[in-house]
């Protein structure tokens, strides 16, 4: 009974979140050299706002959204009851502990386990929100380990445009801005490709989708 | 049925007839197109026709709901337009409060003043109060970089997407002797003339268009399309005189003013898009681009149409 109640509340909340995101951002997904698919994928994107994965999640077709889970920081998501509920039941986040000293489970293992259970994932390889004037922070090595261990999984670069303007850090009122999520061609680890080379290529793929680099939709 | 309802009914059945014919033509063209053709003109045409059905249905529903439905509909269009416009501006973090005020205070208040029929307020609220108070809010954060540009952009965004658009439902507040309770038909007249002018310019341009009228702004607009479109839209407007308080020639003259304002308004909005390096304001409406792409000509003609009618016909 309780389970059912949680399920219903979670599904209603998911829809409310999606409609709110659409109302504020009129978000649209643009698929460049790739089509939406149920195939097992890891979507990796630039990270400027806590709403990033909600936006990415919103533009995924519903049947794909159902099996796609964000990888998120436990220290952010388990701070209040509401956030814990959303994190655990609504978006079913893979919650990882960013602090190597306190953590009991290896984040990479958790991510691989989630993939093996059949989920696709949303990942922000910068590791934290980008508050600088740079377009992106350097990627953490997690994406590389993932590509190495699960070579069959498609790694899909994504660019999220404008969301940082909706709700800059420290503000509480979201401002409606038209936002876009752009998906690029899937990539894999190439034979003999080293960690640095792979991460640099991944960063390049994401940046190539940003509007200043011709990622604007014709 | 009184004459108002008869007119409304005639109008919508006429529109449905035109759209049915357009849909049939689009269907036949799509069938006759060779499978290997990579031209997407016909695909785009059919997407536009489909979007037309939806737009007519939405406007029809708002009309059935009456005055309040129309106000809410255009209030939403303002919101969606402002959302598209603001995304293109240079606004910074320091403008957060200004933008919040634009969306959550100025926009609702403007439509509230129209709701309560307060002409003295809605006609000056944005150019006087919003224009003076918003820069004050902006200056309090102390960010001076690009100050004039940022302030001007927000002011223009409000002018275009809120103030001008709100003149459409404001038509409902005009008191015209012998036309009481029928003002919704004025909106129908305005929207119909503007949109048919757009469509007819497109059609004339595709059929006989040769000389580009503003190659740097809008490569698809031609002199032939402009002349043919404006003149035939004037004729359409004149032929709609029966649903307005105007005579045949008066209706034609107003339609001419509306089409001209609409055309040049479209050019102004194109210049903004070119400057910011985009083709459409959005892609919310299939085949049409964003909300502003469909509203641009209404935006420039509505306030002028309102004030001409108010000056010569209203008591």
């Amino acid at each position: 009974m309780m389970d059912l109640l949680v399920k219903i509340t979670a599904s209603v909340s998911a829809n409310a979140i999606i409609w709110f995101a659409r109302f504020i951002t009129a978000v649209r997904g643009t698929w460049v050299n790739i089509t939406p698919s149920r195939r097992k994928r890891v979507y990796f994107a630039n990270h400027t706002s806590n709403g990033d994965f909600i936006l990415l999640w919103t533009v995924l077709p519903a049947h794909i959204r159902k099996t796609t889970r964000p990888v998120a920081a436990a220290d952010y998501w388990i701070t209040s009851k509401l956030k814990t509920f959303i994190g655990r039941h609504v978006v079913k986040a893979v919650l990882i502990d960013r602090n190597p000293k306190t953590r009991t489970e290896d984040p990479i293992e958790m991510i691989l386990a989630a993939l093996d259970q059949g989920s696709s994932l949303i990942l922000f390889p910068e590791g934290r929100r980008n508050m600088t004037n740079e377009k992106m922070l350097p990627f953490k090595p997690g994406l590389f380990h993932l590509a190495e261990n699960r070579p069959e999984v498609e790694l899909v670069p994504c660019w999220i445009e404008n969301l940082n303007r909706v709700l800059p850090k420290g503000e509480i009122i979201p401002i409606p801005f038209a936002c876009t999520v752009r998906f690029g061609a899937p990539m894999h680890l190439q034979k003999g490709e080293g960690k640095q080379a792979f991460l640099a290529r991944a960063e390049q793929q994401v940046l190539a989708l940003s509007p200043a680099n011709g990622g604007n939709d014709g | 049925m009184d004459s108002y309802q008869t007119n409304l009914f005639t109008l919508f059945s006429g529109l449905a007839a035109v759209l049915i014919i357009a849909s049939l033509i689009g269907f036949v063209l799509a069938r006759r197109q060779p499978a290997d053709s990579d031209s997407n003109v016909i695909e785009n045409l059919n997407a536009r026709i489909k979007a037309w059905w939806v737009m007519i249905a939405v406007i029809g529903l708002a009309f059935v709901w009456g005055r309040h439905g129309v106000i809410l509909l255009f209030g939403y269009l303002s919101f969606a337009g402002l959302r598209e416009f603001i995304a293109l501006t240079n606004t910074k973090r320091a403008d957060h409060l200004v933008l919040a005020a634009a969306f959550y205070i100025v926009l609702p208040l403007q439509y509230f003043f129209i709701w309560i029929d307060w002409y003295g307020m809605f006609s000056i609220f944005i150019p006087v109060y919003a224009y003076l108070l918003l820069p004050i809010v902006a200056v309090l954060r102390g960010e001076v970089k690009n100050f004039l540009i940022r302030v001007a952009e927000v002011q223009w965004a409000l002018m275009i997407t809120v103030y001008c658009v709100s003149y459409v439902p404001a038509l409902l507040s005009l008191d015209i002797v012998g036309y009481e309770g029928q003002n919704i038909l004025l909106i129908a007249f305005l929207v119909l003339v503007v949109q048919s002018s757009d469509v007819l310019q497109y059609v004339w341009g595709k059929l006989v268009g040769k000389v580009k009228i503003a190659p740097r702004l809008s490569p698809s607009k031609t002199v032939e399309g402009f002349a043919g479109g404006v003149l035939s839209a004037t004729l359409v407007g004149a032929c709609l005189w029966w649903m307005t308080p105007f005579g045949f020639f008066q209706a034609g003259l107003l339609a001419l003013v509306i089409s001209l304002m609409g055309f040049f308004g479209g050019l102004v909005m194109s210049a903004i898009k070119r400057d910011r390096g985009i083709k459409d304001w959005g892609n919310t409406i299939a085949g049409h681009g964003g909300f502003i792409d469909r509203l641009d000509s209404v935006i420039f003609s509505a306030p002028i149409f309102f004030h001409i009618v108010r000056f010569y016909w209203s008591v």
Side-chain angles (χ1 to χ4, degrees), chain B residues 1 3 5 12 26 29 34 41-42 45 54 59 62 68 81 111 117 145 148 156 213 218 221 259 272 305 307:
Chain B
M1 282 208 286
S3 75
Q5 281 169 330
F12 275 97
L29 283 176
V41 172
I42 291 169
L45 178 76
V54 177
I59 295 176
H68 292 159
Y111 281 89
D117 217 344
K145 185 147 191 263
L148 182 57
W156 234 62
I213 199 166
S218 191
K221 287 198 166 76
S259 316
I272 299 178
F305 177 62
H307 283 293

Side-chain angles (χ1 to χ4, degrees), chain B residues 76-231:
Chain B
Y76 177 72
L77 293 178
S78 277
F79 173 82
L82 189 59
R83 189 173 58 188
E84 285 170 3
F85 201 111
I86 291 290
L88 290 188
T89 61
N90 288 295
T91 50
K92 287 183 159 20
R93 263 203 66 180
D95 298 311
H96 202 81
L97 266 188
V98 175
L99 296 177
F103 274 103
Y104 303 123
I105 299 176
V106 177
L107 191 159
L109 270 182
Q110 173 71 8
Y111 281 89
F112 171 71
F113 294 140
I114 286 171
W115 188 287
I116 62 171
D117 217 344
W118 187 3
Y119 172 78
M121 196 50 156
F122 77 65
S123 59
I124 61 146
F125 173 60
I126 287 177
V128 175
Y129 292 96
Y131 268 36
L132 295 177
L133 293 176
L134 288 180
I136 295 179
V137 176
V139 87
L140 290 178
R141 288 259 184 130
E143 172 67 77
V144 292
K145 185 147 191 263
N146 281 342
F147 187 75
L148 182 57
I149 293 177
R150 283 158 40 214
V151 165
E153 279 177 341
V154 175
Q155 288 181 332
W156 234 62
L158 280 174
M159 187 66 175
I160 289 295
T161 62
V162 182
Y163 184 73
C164 290
V165 173
S166 76
Y167 265 103
V168 179
L171 286 167
L172 299 179
S173 69
L174 292 172
D175 288 320
I176 300 166
V177 177
Y179 198 64
E180 291 83 3
Q182 305 185 40
N183 285 26
I184 279 191
L185 288 170
L186 281 180
I187 297 185
F189 176 76
L190 170 69
V191 173
L192 220 59
V193 169
V194 167
Q195 302 295 0
S196 58
S197 165
D198 276 5
V199 171
L200 290 166
Q201 279 174 41
Y202 176 83
V203 172
W204 280 100
K206 283 267 178 266
L207 291 180
V208 295
K210 280 194 190 77
V211 188
K212 291 194 160 65
I213 199 166
R216 289 184 58 196
L217 292 175
S218 191
S220 59
K221 287 198 166 76
T222 60
V223 177
E224 293 83 357
F226 164 69
V230 168
L231 289 179

Side-chain angles (χ1 to χ4, degrees), chain A residues 96-136:
Chain A
I96 56 171
D97 190 342
R98 285 188 287 191
N99 187 340
K101 283 180 193 138
T102 56
R103 68 187 171 206
T104 49
E105 273 181 284
D106 180 15
I108 297 292
E109 292 300 324
M110 291 176 70
I111 291 172
L112 295 179
L115 278 175
D116 294 342
Q117 281 160 22
S119 304
S120 287
L121 298 176
I122 298 172
L123 191 73
F124 300 103
E126 291 165 90
R128 60 197 161 94
R129 272 184 293 160
N130 176 10
M131 301 289 174
T132 67
N133 286 327
E134 298 297 313
K135 288 192 88 168
M136 270 197 321

Side-chain angles (χ1 to χ4, degrees), chain A residues 23-34:
Chain A
F23 181 70
I24 294 289
T25 67
V27 64
R28 53 206 172 93
T30 317
W31 300 76
V32 192
N33 303 325
I34 181 179

